Amino acid sequence: MKKRGSKIPTRMGIILVPLFLSSPVRAEAPAGTAAAADTSPSNDECLGCHSNELDRSKGRAIPPIGEAFAESVHGQINLNCVDCHVDLQGKDMPHDDKLAKPVCSTCHEDAVKAYDQSVHASSRRKSGDSLAAGCSDCHGVHDIRSSKDPQSRTYHFNLPATCSRCHADEAVIAKAHIEAGNVPAHFQDSIHGRALNKSGLVVAPNCATCHGNHEIRRASDDKSRVNRYNIPKTCGSCHEGIRAIYETSVHAAALREGNPRAAVCIDCHTAHDTKVVDAAWKMDLVKECGTCHKESMRTFRDTFHGKVSTLGFARAATCADCHGSHAILPKKDPKSLVSDQQRAHTCGKCHQGASVRFSRYDPHADAHSREHDPVLYYITMAMKLLLISVFAFFGLHTILWLGRSLVLVRKLQAEGKIDDDE
């Protein structure tokens, strides 16, 4: 630690890049601080009280910060205590119990500027008692470590636990009116959460991968990484190959045209509950397609494929089997799996040897639309009429036969051929 009177600038800069601390950058000392540094308490004097043992003199406990500070990034570069606690510059000891909060922007200007654009900063500006996270909530106070340090709160594998301190706390969720609820609980059970926490994959995404670190914005903000129009780019930062395929699809084209209902990654895979792509997930995905394509879903459910898949048979063809998944193209596109040029091949994936004539089967035949399927419509109407006629005829026949039977029974009773109790 540096002694009082050492010729070291009292302002030292550390440029923060997303969750990684770079090499310290020294800055020129502000005018007037050099003289104050000569009369300010040195680190040795500060740590003399704030040692690992509590000083209970005068009936108060002094928090021990010596070891934590020595192992922190600030301690490693011999940062002076008064560089953060500027209200102690030129002051004698002991100091007041309550000190002014350090101004992180003195050194971390870029990081603080980014934070000022975040939902956390916005919440703090709106409410003085906001529970929104500040610098120390994520990075710590005297024990700030590099995000490359496994003991750091912002280390890749530790970050979800850091975010969970607020976003998994039901009291905080209720007071802050966080609509998403307990997001970490959903993330832990997702394929991403399991890859991060159970498999220990450093390439697995954590909270900051999708939301950013300092400049975390609301999803409604068009600059947010999780804004609907930015989702493909955010997911594509890891799934680059899938994004390239998606960009060719009808969904991506609609999104570029500004259609807010165009399907993006989170519509099919969800945001925090991302599951393994298995048979059960595929069956649930049919419902998701139906949230936008209601008529197609209705007609699909009326077909053999739809009825069998409803019963839980995963081998039955569903939406993605015919239309594709990420590279869904309009039917008029020759490359589309449901185009006239490709349908026989598409059907052949399940029905070996499927011919062009076989592929003319309409998987979305609509028996209720005279314009779309006039033949099927009239056949359906005829079958309904036949069914009604049969039930009406035999219903009337049964009623008349019942009346005749009652008359016959009474006649036989009157002639004594049968007992009244029979």
Side-chain angles (χ1 to χ4, degrees):
M1 299 298 176
K2 299 298 178 182
K3 302 291 184 178
R4 180 184 297 179
S6 58
K7 302 299 182 179
I8 292 180
T10 59
R11 186 183 181 195
M12 306 180 73
I14 303 174
I15 305 302
L16 276 177
V17 296
L19 294 179
F20 290 91
L21 288 168
S22 65
S23 300
V25 178
R26 295 181 181 270
E28 293 297 329
T33 60
D38 290 336
T39 59
S40 299
S42 68
N43 283 7
D44 287 345
E45 289 176 304
C46 292
L47 297 178
C49 291
H50 294 277
S51 61
N52 290 328
E53 296 181 0
L54 297 180
D55 183 353
R56 299 188 179 276
S57 60
K58 298 182 181 179
R60 64 178 183 177
I62 300 176
I65 63 172
E67 185 176 343
F69 177 76
E71 295 178 357
S72 71
V73 289
H74 291 157
Q76 293 296 315
I77 62 172
N78 295 328
L79 192 70
N80 295 317
C81 301
V82 294
D83 290 334
C84 292
H85 298 289
V86 293
D87 49 337
L88 294 183
Q89 291 181 4
K91 299 292 181 64
D92 295 327
M93 305 302 283
H95 58 73
D96 295 335
D97 289 345
K98 189 173 183 180
L99 300 178
K101 291 184 178 181
V103 180
C104 299
S105 60
T106 303
C107 297
H108 308 290
E109 184 177 1
D110 292 342
V112 173
K113 281 184 178 179
Y115 172 81
D116 284 340
Q117 304 301 316
S118 71
V119 62
H120 292 144
S122 175
S123 177
R124 281 176 169 266
R125 285 192 292 268
K126 290 180 180 178
S127 175
D129 62 345
S130 173
L131 298 176
C135 307
S136 61
D137 294 302
C138 299
H139 293 281
V141 184
H142 298 102
D143 59 341
I144 301 173
R145 292 172 178 260
S146 165
S147 58
K148 295 180 180 179
D149 188 328
Q151 296 185 46
S152 170
R153 290 179 175 86
T154 57
Y155 183 60
H156 189 75
F157 295 109
N158 298 338
L159 189 63
T162 299
C163 297
S164 295
R165 292 174 59 195
C166 292
H167 290 276
D169 188 323
E170 296 299 334
V172 174
I173 293 172
K175 184 175 181 179
H177 305 291
I178 301 176
E179 297 179 0
N182 191 338
V183 170
H186 297 278
F187 175 77
Q188 296 297 335
D189 291 332
S190 71
I191 187 174
H192 291 150
R194 292 182 180 184
L196 189 71
N197 298 319
K198 294 186 178 181
S199 300
L201 297 178
V202 72
V203 295
N206 61 20
C207 314
T209 308
C210 299
H211 294 276
N213 39 72
H214 298 109
E215 193 175 349
I216 300 174
R217 294 173 177 261
R218 297 183 186 276
S220 57
D221 190 325
D222 58 5
K223 294 183 179 179
S224 170
R225 290 171 57 86
V226 293
N227 179 268
R228 186 168 192 81
Y229 293 96
N230 298 330
I231 286 290
K233 182 179 179 181
T234 299
C235 295
S237 62
C238 291
H239 303 281
E240 185 175 353
I242 297 299
R243 181 195 174 190
I245 296 173
Y246 169 81
E247 291 296 341
T248 66
S249 72
V250 63
H251 290 147
L255 190 69
R256 286 191 293 270
E257 292 174 359
N259 186 346
R261 297 188 62 192
V264 294
C265 315
I266 59 173
D267 291 313
C268 300
H269 296 279
T270 74
H272 300 102
D273 290 298
T274 310
K275 304 297 183 183
V276 177
V277 179
D278 55 14
W281 179 83
K282 289 181 179 179
M283 298 302 291
D284 288 337
L285 187 59
V286 175
K287 300 176 183 177
E288 188 59 43
C289 295
T291 59
C292 292
H293 306 284
K294 291 181 173 61
E295 283 301 306
S296 295
M297 179 56 56
R298 180 182 64 79
T299 55
F300 170 77
R301 290 299 191 193
D302 287 339
T303 65
F304 173 79
H305 289 150
K307 293 183 181 300
V308 172
S309 63
T310 302
L311 294 174
F313 288 89
R315 293 183 62 185
T318 57
C319 314
D321 294 303
C322 298
H323 294 275
S325 51
H326 300 106
I328 300 175
L329 300 172
K331 182 180 177 180
K332 61 183 180 181
D333 190 324
K335 296 180 181 179
S336 171
L337 296 179
V338 293
S339 66
D340 294 337
Q341 296 88 337
Q342 300 291 336
R343 284 183 67 174
H345 174 72
T346 301
C347 294
K349 291 188 296 184
C350 295
H351 305 278
Q352 294 183 3
S355 63
V356 174
R357 185 174 181 179
F358 177 90
S359 67
R360 291 175 183 169
Y361 164 80
D362 188 356
H364 290 283
D366 190 357
H368 306 285
S369 174
R370 182 169 55 186
E371 294 75 16
H372 185 267
D373 287 297
V375 175
L376 181 61
Y377 173 81
Y378 285 113
I379 291 176
T380 302
M381 292 296 291
M383 289 299 296
K384 288 181 179 180
L385 181 61
L386 176 61
L387 186 64
I388 293 172
S389 299
V390 169
F391 274 95
F393 174 79
F394 282 102
L396 180 61
H397 179 274
T398 301
I399 293 172
L400 293 175
W401 188 265
L402 177 61
R404 183 179 182 280
S405 297
L406 291 175
V407 172
L408 179 60
V409 168
R410 289 183 178 180
K411 179 180 179 181
L412 292 175
Q413 288 175 343
E415 295 175 354
K417 294 182 179 181
I418 60 173
D419 296 331
D420 293 341
D421 295 335
E422 293 184 8

